[in-house]
């Protein structure tokens, strides 16, 4: 069987490795429009922030393709699919025959049609990232257009490089698709504290030499303008080939398009009315598609969405239906804006269907897993946000400890036994240890035994 | 001052091998006191198991006569019977129809003799041991990274000088309490799905979902790289393979790992910052990280982390495996493992075969090749192609093997089961022939502890009448099969020294006298004048080019995930007052009082959901079996996980025998179960 993969980004490269792991012999050819090896797009904001070097985000070693007998064609765009003859046709005229074709063409950055927009740099690819970094080197002020996840990460990254940054956002609060109003505001306050000026409810009308002009005429000064205005699935070749396309290329639970020999995965695919813009669903889809192509019975049933902001000193996780109100769901909320903390749980039928966690929190992992698994929640909702808060404090004070309390775990010695030993004449830790073997194991109970002996001496007025 | 009737020896239990002095007391008992010349417990420490070890000798349940189908018989009768049955089974079905199963508690002399007995007297390839269930994953990972597996390649006392120690799936507070004294100085980072007693001593506790330690290690290494904490100079000078590992980590960014493990990103970052910021740090792994169907890769991931931080092979830093069983280290070096010959040689290495065959006086081509691993061996018993007879030494697989009911069934299908034991263990009960053997203080022999320090256990008391050593059983059977084997420990050790000479675990320069005089000797010790090797990797690793290997590994889910039918993870482990399958400790009154019964530890949220109150009897079931236990409710465990100790019959009926591809370690530490209140 001959497999052609169109697109060598996060979805396409994942599919290739999943496929090769399942079938060591299938002929695999992968075309990538970018001229470099696949990289982890999720980590681009680290590159922009300067915490990772570009070579640290590569997903595949250069020797991998030869070692695994995969032909990878870089810098070559598949522009046409000839379904009649079963060929993928590239912009440089290559016709590659396929038995199965997988579309993993991803998305393009949306560039708003405003005057001067060519002066701005979209933030989408590694090459974009390198252009922005080069420009940031001699820029004095930056503007980022778009207050979604990527725009915020870009703004934070540039501010971290010491550049004054203004973030322009059309909606009334940041990340309005993932966050409620208050969370968006708290996030804005946190970012402001890190040197990012936030302007919400504003519309960029033109990009000029000296900055961005807003609707109403105000000029926000900048000599570097970065665009993070969202993405649009790349569906051109699919549509042209007559495949069913809505917002993305429509696929079924096998990730198959309406042509059974063509699959689509990742950001170019639309499953059950949803086009996913995150990597986790793309990788889940790659695994399912590889399994189906290999003859397996895997099915894709949609993904639960967890958005995790990657920006230094800003901890944010948002998942599921975060905006449901009290009339539709049980909502548990804790807000402490002075500390940049906002936590919200959205619960329906006793299960976690959405959450926002802003500010550092030890419960983020647990809550993400509860959301992912859809398991029943405990009755104590507050305990979900503040685990252990309701637990009874353990009495390690010798006066409060019951006689049955085990003091030395290693030798199974209770407070009562230590008391009995004291009453029989042992007046110090050495005496207690000799009689009961308390403290002779791991040694961590020594302080507790000392405390009990001291307290007994004090109680009984014995001088030590 | 110790009197003339005092014997210096070591504890019968775990791999710490605490030094102890034993003195007979008037009235028949034994007085036990800690030795101060053995670094493991030089501070005078012992745990309750050690203090009460004397009761092993007097507990009244000792076997004192061989049993032939339950009837006491003379030794010669039993030996004759077994030898003739073995010969008949071999004659009819070939040499591989007889299998041998050993244990990590056997002395080096016994482990060596057993391996030789299998290969030479029985001619079978079918020998393995319960150490496969112990540290085999760490051993495999150490071998591929360092070219050598010496559990901790540094003295235990080095740990106290460290700034930070990372314990991955290590719970020494419960398993070897005096170990914790060596960790009272450093900051501890503990990775464990439970807030164990060790985790309670930690500066930072990371509490991952069972079966996700590998993802966690990858996420931590990703952060080390992303945050520029790699020791580039060390990596360039002392390692190979870094580039490929770096690329393999691009897919394991911390936010993804957080979702898989449940460990918050900021905690991962805190851990790697602490590890990287200090001069001296150690990474130690234990069964929690290792007993998985991906245990070898998990350990490799932790070793990669240690290598990136520049720890192994530096005085004051390093990676080590905290071996569990008394002679877990020595037991894996001298040939009772399916793929090994003495001196930690590989049985498929022609040079190794030639050397060992010469010592044994046989032709290299007469030595069998590698046999089945422990679980595969047990799983094959009584099947068409599998062994029809099994000789069991120092092991109780009906309790300690995964899918224990299935294992008992396989054992039941044998034509002949022969067990050597001290007491009537759950497996000995099933045996056709039981040989009553000496234990610990009744015999001498060497043990190699978790540091790779070879120690001498000396006979302190006379064994009960009617009891003989495992070495006697081996020699007695060998003689009847036409081979002369030594039964004196010192003579066997001298032969072991010759057989190990030139191997990785070279004991040739070690003698009983040196061990006694030097508080133990670290292997390799290739000559009489050689001081032993406390820290083998300071100058170079045991690889052909002397560099440690980074090994790229990827996380994958546990072999069995939770689902609607089995919605809770089960993790198994230990309690302080019991040891392994409990054959010894469940017969000692103070230990039974401290840990009387199997229990299931549940988080209050899970208990609430299942309607379970503390003290309720719960039924825990998996696809492989079910068992009952008493519920303990504790905030110390994750709410998606139930914990059960495996010292009693039951827990291992549930566990999953999915095996690691490299080490053949079963997945003891995670499987899917259902928990219900027993009505």
């Amino acid at each position: 069987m001959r497999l052609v993969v169109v697109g060598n980004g996060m979805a396409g490269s994942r599919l290739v490795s999943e496929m090769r792991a399942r079938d060591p012999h299938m002929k695999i050819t992968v075309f990538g429009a970018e001229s470099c090896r696949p990289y982890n797009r999720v980590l681009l904001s680290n590159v922009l922030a300067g915490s990772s070097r570009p070579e640290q985000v590569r997903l595949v070693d250069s020797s991998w393709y030869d070692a695994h007998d995969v032909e990878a064609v870089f810098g070559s765009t598949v522009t046409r699919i000839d379904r009649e003859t079963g060929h993928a046709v590239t912009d440089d005229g290559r016709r590659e025959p396929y038995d199965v074709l997988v579309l993993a063409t991803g998305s393009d950055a949306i560039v708003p049609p405003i005057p001067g927009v060519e002066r701005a740099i979209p933030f989408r690819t590694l090459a974009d990232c390198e252009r922005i970094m080069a420009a940031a080197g001699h820029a004095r002020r930056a503007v980022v257009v778009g207050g979604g996840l990527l725009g915020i990460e870009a703004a934070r990254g540039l501010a971290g490089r010491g550049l004054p940054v203004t973030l322009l956002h059309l909606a009334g609060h940041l990340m309005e698709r993932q966050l409620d109003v208050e969370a968006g505001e708290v996030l804005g306050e946190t970012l402001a504290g890190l040197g990012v000026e936030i302007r919400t409810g504003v519309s960029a009308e033109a990009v000029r030499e000296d900055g961005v002009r807003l609707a109403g005429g105000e000029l926000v000064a900048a000599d570097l303008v970065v665009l993070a205005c969202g993405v649009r699935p790349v569906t051109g070749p699919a549509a042209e080939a007559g495949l069913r396309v809505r917002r993305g290329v429509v696929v079924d639970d096998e990730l198959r398009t309406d042509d059974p020999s063509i699959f689509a995965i990742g950001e170019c695919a639309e499953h059950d009315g949803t086009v996913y813009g995150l990597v986790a669903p793309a990788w889940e889809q790659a695994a399912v598609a590889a399994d189906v192509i290999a003859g397996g019975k895997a099915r894709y049933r949609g993904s639960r969405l967890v958005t995790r902001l990657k920006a230094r000193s800003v901890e944010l996780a948002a998942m599921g239906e975060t905006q449901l109100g009290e009339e539709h769901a049980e909502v548990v909320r804790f807000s402490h804006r002075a500390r940049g903390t906002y936590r919200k749980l959205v619960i329906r039928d006793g299960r976690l269907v959405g959450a926002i966690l802003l500010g550092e929190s030890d419960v983020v992992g647990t809550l993400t897993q509860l959301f992912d698994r859809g398991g029943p929640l405990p009755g104590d909702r507050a305990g979900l946000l503040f685990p252990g808060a309701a637990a009874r404090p353990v009495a390690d004070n010798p006066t409060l400890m019951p006689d049955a309390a085990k003091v030395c775990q290693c030798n199974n010695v209770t407070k009562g036994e230590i008391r009995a030993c004291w009453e029989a004449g042992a007046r110090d830790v050495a005496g207690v240890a000799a009689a009961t073997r308390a403290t002779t194991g791991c040694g961590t109970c020594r302080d507790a035994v000392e405390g009990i002996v001291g307290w007994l001496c004090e109680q009984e007025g014995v001088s030590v | 001052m110790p009197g003339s009737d005092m014997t210096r020896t070591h504890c019968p239990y775990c791999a710490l091998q605490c030094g102890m002095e034993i003195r007979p007391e008037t009235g028949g008992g034994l007085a036990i006191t800690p030795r101060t010349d053995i670094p493991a417990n030089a501070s005078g420490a012992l745990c309750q198991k050690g203090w009460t070890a004397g009761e092993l000798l007097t507990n009244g349940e000792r076997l004192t006569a061989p049993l032939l189908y339950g009837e006491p018989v003379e030794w010669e009768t039993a030996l004759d019977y077994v030898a003739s049955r073995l010969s008949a089974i071999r004659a009819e079905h070939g040499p591989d129809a007889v299998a041998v199963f050993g244990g990590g508690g056997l002395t080096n002399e016994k482990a060596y003799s057993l391996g030789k007995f299998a290969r030479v007297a029985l001619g079978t390839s079918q020998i393995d041991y319960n150490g496969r269930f112990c540290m085999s994953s760490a051993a495999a990972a150490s071998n591929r990274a360092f070219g050598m597996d010496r559990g901790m390649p540094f003295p235990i006392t080095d740990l106290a000088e460290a700034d930070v120690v990372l314990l991955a799936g290590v719970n020494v507070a419960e398993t070897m309490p005096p170990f914790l004294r060596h960790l009272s100085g450093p900051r501890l980072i503990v990775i464990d799905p439970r807030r164990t007693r060790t985790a309670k001593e930690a500066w930072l506790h990371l509490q991952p979902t069972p079966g996700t330690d590998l993802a966690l290690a990858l996420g931590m290494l990703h952060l080390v790289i992303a945050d520029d904490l790699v020791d580039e100079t060390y990596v360039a000078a002392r390692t190979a393979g870094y580039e490929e590992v770096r690329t393999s980590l691009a897919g394991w960014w911390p936010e993804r790992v957080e979702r898989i493990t449940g460990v918050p990103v900021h905690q991962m970052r805190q851990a790697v910052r602490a590890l990287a910021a200090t001069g001296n740090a150690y990474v130690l792994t234990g069964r929690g990280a290792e007993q998985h169907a991906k245990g070898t890769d998990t350990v490799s991931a932790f070793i990669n982390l240690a290598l990136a931080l520049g720890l192994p092979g530096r005085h004051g830093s390093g990676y080590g495996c905290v071996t569990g069983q008394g002679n877990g280290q020595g037991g894996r070096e001298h040939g009772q493992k399916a793929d090994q010959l003495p001196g930690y040689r590989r049985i498929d290495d022609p040079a190794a075969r030639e050397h060992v065959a010469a010592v044994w006086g046989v032709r290299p081509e007469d030595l069998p090749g590698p046999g089945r691993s422990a679980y595969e061996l047990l799983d094959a018993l009584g099947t068409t192609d599998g062994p029809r007879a099994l000789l069991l030494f120092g092991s109780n697989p009906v309790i300690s093997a995964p899918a224990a009911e299935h294992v008992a069934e396989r054992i039941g299908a044998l034509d002949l089961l022969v067990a050597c034991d001290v007491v009537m263990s759950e497996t000995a009960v099933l045996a056709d022939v039981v040989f009553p053997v000496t234990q610990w203080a009744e015999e001498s022999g060497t043990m190699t502890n978790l540091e790779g320090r070879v120690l001498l256990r000396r006979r302190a008391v006379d064994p009960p009448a009617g009891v003989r050593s495992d070495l006697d059983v081996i020699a007695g059977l060998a003689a009847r099969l036409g081979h002369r084997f030594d039964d004196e420990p010192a003579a066997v050790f001298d032969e072991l020294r010759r057989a190990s000479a030139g191997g990785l675990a070279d004991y040739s320069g070690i003698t009983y006298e040196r061990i006694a005089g030097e508080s133990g000797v670290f292997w390799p010790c290739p000559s009489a004048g050689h001081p032993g090797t406390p820290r083998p990797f300071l100058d170079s690793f045991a690889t052909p080019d002397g560099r440690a290997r980074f090994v790229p590994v990827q996380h994958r889910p546990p072999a069995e995930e939770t689902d609607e039918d089995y919605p809770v993870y089960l993790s198994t482990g230990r309690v302080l007052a019991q040891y392994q399958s409990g054959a010894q400790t469940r017969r000692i009154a103070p230990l039974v009082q401290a840990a009387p019964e199997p229990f299931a530890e549940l988080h209050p949220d899970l208990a609430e959901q299942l309607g379970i109150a503390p003290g309720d009897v719960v039924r825990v079931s998996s696809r492989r079996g079910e068992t009952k236990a008493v519920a303990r409710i504790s905030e110390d465990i994750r709410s998606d996980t139930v914990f059960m100790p495996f010292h009693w019959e039951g827990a291992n009926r549930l566990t999953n025998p999915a095996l690691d591809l490299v080490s053949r370690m079963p997945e003891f530490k995670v499987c899917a179960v259902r928990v219900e209140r027993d009505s």
Side-chain angles (χ1 to χ4, degrees):
Chain A
M1 182 152 70
R2 297 163 302 180
L3 172 70
V4 169
V5 183
V6 182
N8 200 1
M10 293 201 72
S13 66
R14 185 76 171 190
L15 179 100
V16 168
S17 62
E18 293 270 2
M19 204 66 243
R20 188 45 96 217
R22 286 171 175 78
D23 183 338
H25 306 300
M26 177 184 289
K27 176 172 160 47
I28 301 177
T29 309
V30 55
F31 293 95
E34 293 179 61
S35 58
C36 58
R37 275 181 284 137
Y39 54 88
N40 187 343
R41 202 180 294 286
V42 174
L43 303 179
L44 286 186
S45 43
N46 293 359
V47 176
L48 191 64
S51 63
S52 291
R53 292 184 297 276
E55 70 267 21
Q56 289 179 346
V57 303
R58 299 277 175 213
L59 281 165
V60 182
D61 265 318
S62 48
S63 60
W64 188 90
Y65 292 104
D66 278 346
H68 291 83
D69 194 23
V70 169
E71 188 190 357
V73 186
F74 299 112
S76 178
T77 306
V78 171
T79 48
R80 200 162 69 77
I81 302 160
D82 185 343
R83 290 168 59 195
E84 296 276 312
T85 63
H87 284 84
V89 186
T90 66
D91 52 357
D92 46 6
R94 175 161 166 180
R95 288 176 61 81
E96 184 68 25
Y98 69 82
D99 299 305
V100 172
L101 182 128
V102 178
L103 292 166
T105 45
S107 318
D108 280 338
I110 292 175
V111 177
I114 53 175
V117 75
E118 66 283 352
R119 293 195 181 94
I121 310 173
F123 179 39
R124 172 70 186 162
T125 65
L126 186 56
D128 295 337
C129 201
E130 283 167 340
R131 277 177 69 200
I132 295 168
M133 288 192 295
H138 48 76
R140 289 185 307 277
R141 277 203 76 84
V143 160
V144 175
V145 184
L149 182 77
L150 214 53
I152 292 170
E153 291 183 357
R156 172 68 186 106
L158 291 171
R161 289 172 170 270
L163 204 58
V165 181
T166 305
L167 179 62
L168 305 180
H169 191 49
L170 188 59
H173 66 275
L174 297 176
M175 290 179 69
E176 76 282 0
R177 280 163 58 194
Q178 292 91 359
L179 301 183
D180 62 17
V181 176
E182 183 169 359
E185 287 173 2
V186 179
L187 175 61
E189 288 158 16
T190 303
L191 288 166
L194 295 164
V196 179
E197 186 195 354
I198 308 289
R199 302 284 304 271
T200 55
V202 295
S203 169
E205 270 200 347
V207 180
R208 301 184 354 179
E209 204 61 43
D210 54 351
V212 177
R213 200 185 69 227
L214 303 181
E218 181 190 348
L219 180 77
V220 181
D223 46 7
L224 166 62
V225 179
V226 174
L227 298 177
C229 305
V231 294
R232 187 181 294 120
V234 176
T235 57
E240 205 179 305
L243 297 173
R244 197 160 156 234
V245 173
R246 284 197 292 251
R247 206 164 94 72
V249 184
V250 177
V251 293
D252 60 16
D253 287 357
E254 292 186 319
L255 283 322
R256 231 186 266 270
T257 66
D258 53 342
D259 178 337
S261 61
I262 300 181
F263 293 71
I265 58 169
E267 293 183 353
C268 71
E270 178 176 328
H271 175 266
D272 197 16
T274 304
V275 175
Y276 293 96
L278 294 172
V279 65
W283 282 8
E284 288 170 38
Q285 291 171 358
V288 171
D291 186 81
V292 170
I293 294 167
K297 299 219 174 322
R299 296 292 179 271
Y300 179 70
R301 310 282 187 208
S303 297
R304 289 174 187 266
L305 290 183
V306 177
T307 305
R308 196 73 169 75
L309 188 74
K310 284 160 299 301
R312 199 149 26 99
S313 311
V314 190
E315 291 284 341
L316 169 64
M319 58 200 87
E321 302 172 65
T322 56
Q323 320 225 16
L324 289 184
E326 308 273 359
E327 63 279 20
H328 301 295
E330 181 187 337
V331 177
V332 182
R333 209 188 325 247
F334 172 80
S335 171
H336 186 179
R337 292 177 74 146
R339 286 284 178 86
T341 299
Y342 181 80
R343 299 179 190 178
K344 178 183 187 180
L345 304 181
V346 182
I347 298 164
R348 213 161 43 195
D349 303 327
R351 317 214 165 214
L352 189 65
V353 297
I356 299 171
L357 295 165
L358 185 51
E360 191 173 287
S361 148
D362 283 347
V363 295
V364 57
T366 312
L367 289 172
T368 306
Q369 292 187 333
L370 281 170
F371 168 75
D372 272 339
R373 296 174 190 165
L377 299 181
D380 174 20
R381 311 295 203 220
L384 287 169
L385 287 181
F386 305 98
R392 216 156 23 96
V394 182
D396 54 358
N397 178 334
T399 56
L400 302 178
M401 208 182 269
D403 266 5
K406 209 186 268 192
V407 178
C408 171
Q409 302 287 337
C410 298
N411 282 289
N412 196 32
V413 184
T414 62
K415 178 187 166 192
E417 287 168 284
I418 295 173
R419 181 204 292 277
C421 175
W422 187 89
E423 281 163 1
R427 288 290 178 268
D428 55 15
V429 174
V432 169
T436 66
R437 292 167 185 158
T439 73
T440 64
C442 72
T444 56
C445 66
R446 200 187 157 83
D447 288 351
V449 174
E450 252 169 22
I452 292 168
V453 170
W455 167 72
L456 285 167
C457 291
E458 209 172 281
Q459 289 283 301
E460 309 295 324
V462 179
S463 62
V464 208
Chain B
M1 282 300 287
S4 58
D5 55 351
M6 184 278 293
T7 307
R8 288 167 185 267
T9 186
H10 295 268
C11 178
Y13 298 110
C14 78
L16 200 54
Q17 286 294 294
C18 289
M20 46 172 65
E21 292 172 355
I22 299 183
R23 193 180 302 104
E25 283 179 321
T26 45
L30 284 179
I32 288 179
T33 46
R35 279 167 75 175
T36 52
D37 61 331
I38 297 297
N41 68 322
S43 52
L46 287 179
C47 74
Q48 194 182 11
K49 292 198 291 286
W51 284 114
T52 58
E55 300 187 30
L56 283 172
L57 303 163
T58 55
N59 71 32
E61 290 192 48
R62 273 312 275 287
L63 295 168
T64 53
L67 300 173
L68 182 59
Y69 296 100
E71 295 300 319
V73 295
E74 292 299 315
W75 269 91
E76 307 311 310
T77 312
L79 287 168
D80 287 347
Y81 176 78
V82 171
S84 71
R85 289 292 309 277
L86 293 179
S87 298
I89 289 169
R90 277 174 60 199
E92 194 180 340
H93 303 286
D96 276 359
V98 177
V100 176
F101 200 89
L106 301 177
T107 61
N108 289 319
E109 290 79 356
K110 293 178 184 182
Y112 168 80
S113 214
L114 201 54
K116 177 181 170 186
F117 175 71
R119 274 71 178 234
V120 174
L122 296 172
T124 181
S125 68
Q126 302 297 300
I127 174 170
D128 213 61
Y129 78 126
N130 66 19
R132 186 74 75 166
F133 301 156
C134 185
M135 49 355 88
S136 57
S137 293
S142 279
N143 278 323
R144 67 187 187 187
F146 307 124
M148 182 167 115
D149 152 42
R150 211 190 75 189
M152 298 201 310
F154 44 81
I156 191 169
T157 41
D158 283 6
L159 292 169
E161 307 298 318
D163 303 294
V164 178
V165 176
L166 171 72
L167 300 169
V170 178
N171 183 12
V172 285
E174 210 78 44
T175 58
M176 39 181 77
F179 193 116
L180 209 52
R181 292 174 177 246
H182 300 281
L183 299 175
S184 61
R187 275 182 176 182
L188 300 185
I189 302 170
V190 173
I191 299 174
D192 201 304
R194 297 167 68 213
R195 205 163 76 92
T196 61
R197 284 222 295 122
T198 310
K200 286 174 188 169
E201 298 297 320
W203 167 74
L204 178 64
H205 174 205
L206 311 181
Q207 201 167 1
T209 311
T212 66
D213 315 71
L214 176 47
L216 182 57
L218 296 173
M220 288 171 70
L221 183 48
H222 180 105
L223 275 173
V224 168
I225 295 170
D227 292 358
D228 259 333
L229 302 172
V230 177
D231 185 339
E232 304 276 358
T233 318
Y234 170 95
V235 167
R238 300 215 50 192
T239 72
Y242 171 63
E243 293 294 317
E244 200 186 335
V245 163
R246 191 182 68 180
T247 309
S248 74
L249 284 161
W252 296 102
W253 65 98
E255 291 78 8
R256 179 177 178 223
V257 169
E258 172 184 274
R259 197 169 170 184
I260 293 169
T261 61
V263 176
V265 172
H266 71 91
Q267 288 184 0
M268 290 180 227
R269 182 165 268 127
Q270 209 180 343
V272 301
R273 292 258 160 95
L275 280 165
T278 66
N280 289 320
Y282 288 90
V283 173
L284 303 180
T285 62
R287 303 305 83 73
E290 298 161 13
Q291 286 180 325
H292 294 271
K294 53 177 180 289
T296 305
D297 283 354
T298 302
V299 176
S300 283
F302 281 109
I303 292 177
N304 289 342
L305 176 67
L307 288 172
L309 294 167
L311 308 179
R314 249 180 48 203
H315 195 150
S317 293
Y319 161 79
C321 150
V322 181
T323 294
Q325 294 195 78
N327 197 28
Q329 178 71 48
R332 65 195 193 244
E333 297 165 4
H334 299 297
Q336 63 174 331
K337 202 171 169 209
D339 53 1
Q340 274 178 10
L341 290 173
Y344 222 131
R345 290 180 157 92
R346 293 186 57 90
I347 202 166
D348 55 5
D349 168 8
R353 293 170 67 87
E354 198 172 320
H355 171 84
V356 174
V359 176
W360 288 348
V362 297
R363 297 181 307 170
E365 58 270 31
D366 292 339
L367 294 177
R372 291 183 175 91
S373 75
Y375 182 78
E376 289 163 299
L377 179 60
L378 295 170
D379 186 41
L381 297 177
T383 61
T384 321
D385 305 323
R388 315 194 68 86
L390 177 67
L391 306 177
L392 195 64
F393 292 80
S395 190
N396 189 11
V398 165
I399 303 291
S400 62
E405 280 177 302
H406 172 70
V407 166
E409 218 168 85
R410 292 323 322 151
I411 287 176
L414 285 166
D415 295 345
L416 179 70
L417 174 66
V418 179
C420 297
D421 218 324
V422 176
V423 292
M424 207 60 174
S425 72
E426 286 77 1
T427 313
V429 168
L430 306 175
D432 303 301
V433 183
V434 181
F435 288 113
V437 291
T438 50
Q439 59 174 325
W440 163 64
E442 300 161 354
E443 57 184 18
S444 294
T446 60
M447 305 285 282
T448 305
N449 79 352
L450 76 178
E451 310 157 277
R453 191 193 301 258
V454 185
L455 300 166
L456 183 60
R457 269 194 195 166
R458 267 177 296 206
R459 175 165 160 160
V461 296
D462 292 334
V467 167
R468 295 184 187 177
S469 154
D470 292 301
L471 289 177
D472 286 308
V473 177
I474 294 168
L477 290 175
R480 284 163 177 77
L481 298 169
H483 299 269
R484 205 199 76 77
F485 274 52
D486 273 311
D487 57 7
E488 273 305 311
V492 175
F493 188 72
D494 278 341
E495 189 183 309
L496 180 161
R497 292 169 56 198
R498 292 200 304 281
S500 75
L504 280 169
D506 190 332
Y507 282 39
S508 55
I510 305 176
T511 61
Y512 282 12
E513 293 69 32
R514 279 194 63 183
I515 298 172
E518 300 171 25
S519 300
V521 180
F522 287 96
W523 69 258
C525 179
S527 66
H530 191 283
T533 315
R535 301 176 190 89
F537 301 144
L538 291 185
D539 299 324
S540 80
F541 296 98
T543 51
D545 60 5
R547 288 168 175 268
R549 294 282 178 283
F550 277 94
V551 179
V553 291
Q554 295 288 315
H555 173 75
R556 58 270 185 194
E560 183 179 66
E561 271 287 14
T562 53
D563 57 20
E564 277 180 22
D565 294 332
Y566 299 98
V568 181
Y569 293 110
L570 168 71
S571 194
T572 63
R574 292 148 213 271
V575 297
L576 191 150
Q578 298 290 346
Y579 183 66
Q580 304 296 67
S581 76
Q584 296 153 293
T585 47
R586 279 188 279 119
R587 290 176 164 82
I588 293 181
L591 300 180
V592 171
Q593 193 202 337
E597 62 194 355
F599 62 87
E601 184 177 288
L602 304 157
H603 189 275
D605 289 350
L606 183 60
E608 173 197 295
Q609 185 195 323
L610 300 172
I612 292 167
D616 281 354
V617 173
V618 295
R619 192 166 60 245
V620 187
S621 38
S622 79
R623 286 183 178 80
R624 291 154 296 277
E626 68 169 55
T627 190
K628 290 179 184 178
V630 175
R632 287 193 189 172
I633 314 297
S634 166
E635 300 251 358
D636 294 338
I637 190 162
R638 293 173 54 93
S639 59
D640 55 7
T641 305
V642 56
F643 168 83
M644 294 182 74
F646 64 78
H647 309 291
W648 292 266
E649 195 155 22
N652 274 327
R653 287 186 199 156
L654 309 171
T655 47
N656 188 356
L659 299 183
D660 184 287
L661 280 176
V662 182
S663 68
R664 315 311 281 165
M665 166 75 84
E667 187 137 282
F668 286 107
K669 282 290 185 272
V670 58
C671 69
V673 297
R674 183 169 58 239
V675 183
E676 297 150 295
R677 198 157 71 95
D678 192 45
S679 47

